[in-house]
């Protein structure tokens, strides 16, 4: 089959790799019909190379049609249309039963001290071949895949794999009071959806912050009040001007480790990427730092007694945190990978009717054949041609 494979910093290729097959009785194999390029994929494209192996198959936002199931998969059959969550979870362990599927004890990558295995995401998370491919082996298929109805186009459901549950959890974790205010830092795919979900769930004021004009315009068109970071020396002051001088009730950081405006950390990332792989991995895992400009701005922008929800991925081990300010302002922090299945029952009804309250039908700005994945990555990473969400579509 054809698949998108990693070969180094900013080097992804579409190559022929072995077809997946049933390995365990709880496996399924699906034919992929749509698969997203995620902001987290750009971390692999840029800074997490020390944890990748040349030829790794990328991608964790797939949906498609079941081709084959293992003997213990009784809830699916060939021909079923499914979305595959990015985290691999069993559904019956201590963590899964508590709605913490991203910490699944059956698939935890204990050798690396990490949570549940993920599709297409480094040795730290199991090095499971990903979904930017024509076919995908799905472990724990007795629980993971989400069946969706035939009929509507893939765009209606594909974001159940990651974007929707990640944004939904970020809003839940933000604990926005009824009619309250929330700031969303970063208006990429997750930030855009966070703003829409927050408004859908009753936020009184949603403030979207970014420095890309197309992203700001898109969020504003969907009801957010926007702040262009290029127009302000101090974002906290700009937020306070909109929130009675206090700051926002809640803040969502949808940016994470690769924030703009942190040149020292960027230089460190680039230096580590140039080191021999084993050395770079050790430094990143034991002494890594993130670009924290957005997190610092979030701490400044939230009101006293407010909540910060982190959905952007961080990976630093020695990040300097302003503990005095966090303590003095009595700020709550809530973070983590999305527990996809925890939120499906709330989200799926919003996708199953004739209306489209979250605007998923036109959420993708670009749809490209799988073969054009290298161009898709470059376009998304460099924010070219208005690329805000890219879907890859393998040939059927």
């Amino acid at each position: 089959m054809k698949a998108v494979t990693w070969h180094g910093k900013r080097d992804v290729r579409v190559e022929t790799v072995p077809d997946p097959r049933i390995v365990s009785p709880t496996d399924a194999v699906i034919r992929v019909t749509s698969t997203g390029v995620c902001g987290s994929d750009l971390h692999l494209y840029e800074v997490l190379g020390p944890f990748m192996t040349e030829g790794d198959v990328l991608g964790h936002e797939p949906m498609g049609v079941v081709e084959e199931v293992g003997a213990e998969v009784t809830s699916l059959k060939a021909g079923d249309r499914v979305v595959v969550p990015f985290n691999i979870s069993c559904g019956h362990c201590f963590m899964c039963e508590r709605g913490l599927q991203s910490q699944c004890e059956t698939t935890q990558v204990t050798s690396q001290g990490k949570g549940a295995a993920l599709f297409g995401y480094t040795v730290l998370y199991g090095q499971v071949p990903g979904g930017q491919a024509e076919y995908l082996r799905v472990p724990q298929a007795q629980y993971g895949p989400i069946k969706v109805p035939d009929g509507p186009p893939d765009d209606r459901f594909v974001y159940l794999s990651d974007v929707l549950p990640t944004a939904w959890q970020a809003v839940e974790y933000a604990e926005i009071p009824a009619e309250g205010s929330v700031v969303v830092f970063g208006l990429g795919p997750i930030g855009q959806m966070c703003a829409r979900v927050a408004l859908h769930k009753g936020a009184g004021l949603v403030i979207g912050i970014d420095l890309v004009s197309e992203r700001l315009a898109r969020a504003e068109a969907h009801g957010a009040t926007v702040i262009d970071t290029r127009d302000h020396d101090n974002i906290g002051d700009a937020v306070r001007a909109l929130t009675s001088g206090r700051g926002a009730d809640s803040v969502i950081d949808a940016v994470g480790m690769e924030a703009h405006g942190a040149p020292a950390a960027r230089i460190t990332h680039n230096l580590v990427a140039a080191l021999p792989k084993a050395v770079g991995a050790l430094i990143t895992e034991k002494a890594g730092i993130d670009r924290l400009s957005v997190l610092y701005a979030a701490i400044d922008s939230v009101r006293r007694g407010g909540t910060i929800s982190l959905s952007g991925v961080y990976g630093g081990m020695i990040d300097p945190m302003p503990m005095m300010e966090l303590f003095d302002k009595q700020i709550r922090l809530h973070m983590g990978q999305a527990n996809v299945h925890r939120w499906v029952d709330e989200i799926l009804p919003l996708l199953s009717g004739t209306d489209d309250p979250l605007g998923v039908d036109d959420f993708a700005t670009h749809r490209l054949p799988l073969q054009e994945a290298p161009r898709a990555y470059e376009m998304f990473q460099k924010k070219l041609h208005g690329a805000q969400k890219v879907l890859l579509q393998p040939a059927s």
Side-chain angles (χ1 to χ4, degrees), residues 186-259:
L187 295 172
I190 301 301
Q192 293 283 346
M193 192 56 73
C194 284
R196 298 181 191 189
V197 171
L199 287 165
H200 173 76
K201 292 173 72 67
L205 174 65
V206 175
I207 303 169
I209 299 178
D210 207 291
L211 45 65
V212 179
S213 299
E214 294 90 343
R215 293 179 172 187
L216 291 161
R218 195 177 205 199
E220 189 171 34
H222 283 269
T225 299
V226 298
I227 294 175
D228 188 332
T229 61
R230 297 168 296 185
D231 296 337
H232 299 274
D233 293 329
N234 187 297
I235 295 302
D237 288 344
V239 171
R240 282 184 284 276
L242 295 171
T243 55
S244 304
R246 295 189 188 92
D249 296 312
S250 305
V251 173
I252 296 170
D253 174 356
V255 179
M257 67 170 71
E258 291 197 79

Side-chain angles (χ1 to χ4, degrees), residues 6 18 71 86 88 100 179 243 284 342 344:
W6 184 92
F86 74 94
I88 303 169
L100 294 170
E179 296 296 318
T243 55
T284 300
R342 180 172 179 174
V344 168

Side-chain angles (χ1 to χ4, degrees), residues 159-160 162-169 197 340 342-352 357-358 360:
Y159 306 113
L160 274 174
D162 183 351
V163 174
L164 279 167
T166 295
W168 198 275
Q169 177 170 295
V197 171
V340 174
R342 180 172 179 174
W343 311 112
V344 168
D345 288 346
E346 296 180 55
I347 299 170
L348 192 54
L350 301 177
L351 311 178
S352 301
L358 300 178
V360 296

Side-chain angles (χ1 to χ4, degrees), residues 143-166:
Y143 176 69
I146 303 160
K147 286 201 287 188
V148 298
D150 294 327
D154 282 5
D155 289 43
R156 176 57 66 107
F157 301 112
V158 67
Y159 306 113
L160 274 174
S161 59
D162 183 351
V163 174
L164 279 167
T166 295

Side-chain angles (χ1 to χ4, degrees), residues 84-157:
V84 181
F86 74 94
N87 42 34
I88 303 169
S89 51
C90 71
H92 57 73
C93 70
F94 178 92
M95 292 295 178
C96 286
E97 288 179 347
R98 285 155 181 79
L100 294 170
Q101 291 89 351
S102 66
Q103 309 301 324
C104 174
E105 292 182 330
T106 300
T107 73
Q108 268 182 25
V109 187
T110 54
S111 63
Q112 301 291 333
K114 297 295 184 285
L118 309 178
F119 286 103
Y121 215 80
T122 81
V123 68
L124 297 177
Y125 288 96
Q127 210 163 26
V128 181
Q132 290 171 6
E134 292 180 312
Y135 293 89
L136 174 68
R137 170 182 165 256
V138 182
Q140 302 298 322
Q142 82 290 344
Y143 176 69
I146 303 160
K147 286 201 287 188
V148 298
D150 294 327
D154 282 5
D155 289 43
R156 176 57 66 107
F157 301 112

